[in-house]
Amino acid sequence: MKKNSNDSITDATKTSYSVQAENRSLTQTELSVIEFKKRRNNAILQEKERLSGISGRTAIIFALFIVIIKLAEQYFPPFGELIGVHSFRGQAILMLLIVGIIPFLTSVLIILLERPAAKFICGEKPSPIACLLAFLSGFPLIFFVLTVEQLITLLLFDKTLVGTTGWNLLNQGILLFQSSGIQIALTVLIACLIPALGLTLLINGLIQPGLSSGSYQKRAILSTGLFAAVTALDLRSVPLLLLVFSFVSKIRSDSDSLLPAALANFGINLGWLIYPFIYQFTADLLWGQLPGSTGQIISQTLPLMLFSAMLILPAIVFFTNTRNRTLAEERELLQQISTDKENVSPKKHKIDYLFLVANIILFAILILQDLI
């Protein structure tokens, strides 16, 4: 019996040592992860501190490029004729300039001068689900916005509210599907892909990360969305486009990645392009022709608007939950390293006055071009 008792005591001791060894190994692993996250967090904070004001510098360069384009359009007749609003070629060239070439030139210039880290621009590697959901959410979002615009136009105004750069190019969806494959590919490239890449890199890759700081994420989302809406160079479109680009900025902030924002932007542009086709298709299903009365238009657009809003909700819930998990991990990390004073308390957010000046310049352009 003693032998058995001693054996049991020995086994219990071995088990106790084993548990302690496992606990010690687990603690060391946790400390290694915490130390890695701490160093990574410090590196990100130091990079943001080094790039303080990059949003304003990026925005002001873009605004100055727009001023040059507007002056050339006004005082250099050949250029004004080249980008005439009544021709397909003019719309394509103007759209490539405003939402393609100029954003790329601005982004390349800032990257060469500031040399930001790739993680600052692109963020983390996104999950395939986030990318797919971001792309698919673009369609119901733009359907919702365009149906709202259509109802407001019908009830309150005599003409369309949205008249952005490339409006005619984006709203030729009916004729587009009767065109050749080459024309369809060129239209998608000019009206959807290039704007998505150019604006996303400029606005969500350089401007938004510079404005994002600690608890100022929501303000950064709204500020970025407003600047993106103003770049469309149409004053009446600003309220509706603010909703669109704030959603894209939210995806960039919640996913901490540039790729989902670019895919959402591409989905929005592509949805805008095919919206006229969808509108005619639903009208043919209901009445066999386009709606001819106010009641028919309302009865067609309201279900489309509500259904589109319902389809956006899964994306909003997914990205919001992702952001909440990230914030919870950051809070836990700060609690675990609270004894270390380095970079625990966030610095006070400074106002980027250059960014405000760039917004004022673009708003001035919008007002003056309507008055001239």
Side-chain angles (χ1 to χ4, degrees):
M1 293 294 294
K2 284 185 178 181
K3 184 176 181 180
N4 291 340
S5 176
N6 291 336
D7 288 343
S8 62
I9 294 173
T10 303
D11 292 340
T13 304
K14 289 181 179 180
T15 303
S16 175
Y17 285 150
S18 176
V19 171
Q20 291 178 5
E22 289 177 2
N23 288 338
R24 183 160 50 248
S25 175
L26 182 61
T27 303
Q28 290 174 353
T29 302
E30 289 177 347
L31 288 175
S32 299
V33 172
I34 292 173
E35 183 64 23
F36 172 77
K37 289 183 178 180
K38 173 190 168 186
R39 291 179 180 178
R40 176 179 171 276
N41 187 50
N42 290 341
I44 293 174
L45 291 176
Q46 291 173 5
E47 182 70 359
K48 285 189 175 184
E49 182 67 20
R50 183 181 73 85
L51 297 172
S52 176
I54 189 174
S55 301
R57 294 188 288 272
T58 304
I60 201 69
I61 291 175
F62 176 82
L64 292 177
F65 273 129
I66 297 298
V67 169
I68 293 172
I69 292 296
K70 287 299 177 180
L71 290 175
E73 182 182 2
Q74 187 70 25
Y75 297 104
F76 188 61
F79 181 75
E81 295 175 0
L82 182 66
I83 60 174
V85 296
H86 298 295
S87 66
F88 178 84
R89 183 187 66 177
Q91 284 289 306
I93 294 175
L94 183 61
M95 193 169 193
L96 281 175
L97 278 174
I98 302 299
V99 296
I101 296 174
I102 291 179
F104 271 122
L105 284 178
T106 305
S107 301
V108 170
L109 184 61
I110 289 295
I111 290 172
L112 291 177
L113 292 176
E114 304 280 354
R115 298 190 179 277
K119 192 172 288 294
F120 177 85
I121 301 174
C122 301
E124 300 293 334
K125 182 179 179 181
S127 65
I129 296 178
C131 293
L132 179 62
L133 200 56
F135 172 70
L136 294 178
S137 64
F139 294 93
L141 176 62
I142 196 60
F143 289 172
F144 173 81
V145 168
L146 291 177
T147 50
V148 169
E149 186 269 342
Q150 196 169 6
L151 284 175
I152 295 175
T153 301
L154 174 68
L155 299 175
L156 301 178
F157 300 98
D158 295 329
K159 59 181 181 179
T160 181
L161 285 175
V162 180
T164 61
T165 302
W167 167 258
N168 293 332
L169 196 64
L170 285 166
N171 285 273
Q172 55 126 12
I174 300 297
L175 299 177
L176 177 65
F177 289 94
Q178 302 173 1
S179 307
S180 63
I182 296 178
Q183 186 174 351
I184 293 174
L186 285 175
T187 304
V188 171
L189 179 68
I190 295 171
C192 302
L193 183 59
I194 292 178
L197 295 176
L199 280 181
T200 305
L201 177 61
L202 174 79
I203 294 173
N204 303 111
L206 291 171
I207 292 179
Q208 186 178 353
L211 295 174
S212 302
S213 176
S215 60
Y216 294 92
Q217 294 289 338
K218 292 181 180 179
R219 190 171 75 178
I221 290 172
L222 290 176
S223 301
T224 307
L226 179 61
F227 184 81
V230 176
T231 60
L233 299 182
D234 184 71
L235 190 59
R236 291 170 302 182
S237 307
V238 170
L240 293 175
L241 293 181
L242 174 61
L243 174 64
V244 172
F245 289 113
S246 294
F247 179 79
V248 176
S249 300
K250 175 178 171 57
I251 288 180
R252 170 65 174 93
S253 176
D254 291 351
S255 65
D256 193 19
S257 179
L258 187 64
L259 182 57
L263 289 172
N265 216 330
F266 178 64
I268 288 168
N269 293 333
L270 194 61
W272 196 333
L273 188 65
I274 66 173
Y275 176 77
F277 175 78
I278 298 297
Y279 183 77
Q280 182 170 350
F281 177 75
T282 54
D284 290 340
L285 288 179
L286 292 173
W287 303 290
Q289 60 181 4
L290 289 175
S293 65
T294 301
Q296 286 183 337
I297 294 177
I298 293 176
S299 63
Q300 180 184 358
T301 53
L302 277 179
L304 183 60
M305 182 179 66
L306 295 176
F307 183 65
S308 300
M310 290 175 60
L311 292 180
I312 301 171
L313 289 177
I316 294 176
V317 171
F318 175 83
F319 286 106
T320 301
N321 288 339
T322 301
R323 180 63 183 169
N324 290 338
R325 288 196 300 271
T326 303
L327 291 176
E329 292 176 358
E330 291 176 355
R331 285 194 296 267
E332 182 180 357
L333 175 62
L334 288 176
Q335 290 175 357
Q336 290 171 335
I337 63 174
S338 59
T339 54
D340 190 347
K341 297 182 181 179
E342 182 183 8
N343 288 330
V344 173
S345 58
K347 296 183 179 181
K348 187 177 180 180
H349 183 72
K350 298 179 181 179
I351 298 175
D352 194 334
Y353 292 102
L354 273 180
F355 182 73
L356 295 178
V357 172
N359 279 276
I360 293 172
I361 291 174
L362 291 180
F363 268 109
I365 291 174
L366 298 187
I367 295 172
L368 290 175
Q369 73 179 3
D370 286 344
L371 295 177
I372 296 175

